[in-house]
Amino acid sequence: GEGEGEGEGEGKDKSTDEDFTIVSIDRSGLLGVKAPAPEPTNPGGPPVEKSPETPLLDVLRVQINNRGPISVADYVLTAMSQPDYGYYQQQEVLGEVGDFITAPEISQMFGELIGVWMMTTWAQCGKPNPVHLVELGPGRGTLMRDLITITRQVQEFQTAVHIHFVENSVQMRESQRDALGVILDSGASSSSSSS
């Protein structure tokens, strides 16, 4: 038929083995067998510098040596929350001096809009009392501060809402108390827990 055989092979992946980098992972260290760490390489490029060993790496090694292989979830939990060396425990991570910024830190409008949406939804649900508002990883407490500020316009909602933070960073819990102390003392109830 017409067009048969035309452009045969066009659009097919013409990649070769040279287009792929093969990565192998030595898992023998997970089983207690000491194997030398492979030197990092960058074929065809400049030499790769080996990352410096850190105290957090030592903590992870102890976990693996004591318990055997760990899950990605355990690795991330340790890397983020380990009391002495975890990412969220040791530094200012939010804002201009940190690594990232969130919408509540840019403008109070985000928290205010969430507050208006919550009051509207609460009213549509028949104004239940109590309402448990749980924020996971609330950072500095900025979102909740802005939400509470706008919801003060409806005293019945303020009376119904019970605020709960789930935060494992001592530094962040202190920031939350600073941001919300006066607000919480004058209305909504709250509790804080660490995981």
Side-chain angles (χ1 to χ4, degrees):
E2 192 174 312
E4 282 185 38
E6 286 182 22
E8 191 171 319
E10 285 183 29
K12 286 189 176 184
D13 185 8
K14 295 183 180 187
S15 61
T16 64
D17 287 341
E18 294 171 2
D19 295 332
F20 297 95
T21 300
I22 297 173
V23 177
S24 65
I25 299 172
D26 177 10
R27 293 187 178 99
S28 62
L30 297 175
L31 303 173
V33 177
K34 301 294 181 198
E39 291 298 319
T41 61
N42 185 6
V48 176
E49 291 184 32
K50 186 176 178 183
S51 297
E53 302 222 352
T54 66
L56 181 60
L57 181 59
D58 293 336
V59 169
L60 289 163
R61 282 188 177 132
V62 167
Q63 277 185 356
I64 292 168
N65 286 336
N66 290 340
R67 297 186 351 213
I70 61 173
S71 68
V72 172
D74 287 340
Y75 168 80
V76 170
L77 180 64
T78 301
M80 296 294 130
S81 305
Q82 198 279 339
D84 297 318
Y85 309 112
Y87 177 79
Y88 286 106
Q89 308 303 318
Q90 297 303 308
Q91 56 192 342
E92 183 64 44
V93 297
L94 294 172
E96 291 181 28
V97 299
D99 291 332
F100 61 93
I101 193 161
T102 60
E105 299 292 330
I106 294 172
S107 169
Q108 76 275 4
M109 287 193 318
F110 185 79
E112 291 172 352
L113 288 170
I114 298 290
V116 168
W117 171 81
M118 288 187 67
M119 287 188 299
T120 302
T121 303
W122 169 76
Q124 290 171 342
C125 290
K127 300 181 178 182
N129 188 351
V131 171
H132 293 278
L133 176 54
V134 180
E135 187 175 2
L136 306 177
R140 295 180 180 140
T142 307
L143 172 66
M144 195 61 65
R145 181 196 64 212
D146 297 338
L147 187 150
I148 291 169
T149 299
I150 197 71
T151 60
R152 281 187 169 170
Q153 297 176 22
V154 179
Q155 185 59 42
E156 193 177 0
F157 180 79
Q158 283 283 298
T159 302
V161 72
H162 296 269
I163 298 168
H164 308 274
F165 287 153
V166 179
E167 178 63 68
N168 58 16
S169 166
V170 173
Q171 180 182 353
M172 288 296 182
R173 284 196 298 265
E174 290 170 4
S175 294
Q176 293 153 15
R177 272 191 282 281
D178 291 344
L180 296 167
V182 172
I183 291 173
L184 293 177
D185 290 343
S186 64
S189 62
S190 83
S191 67
S192 180
S193 65
S194 61
S195 58

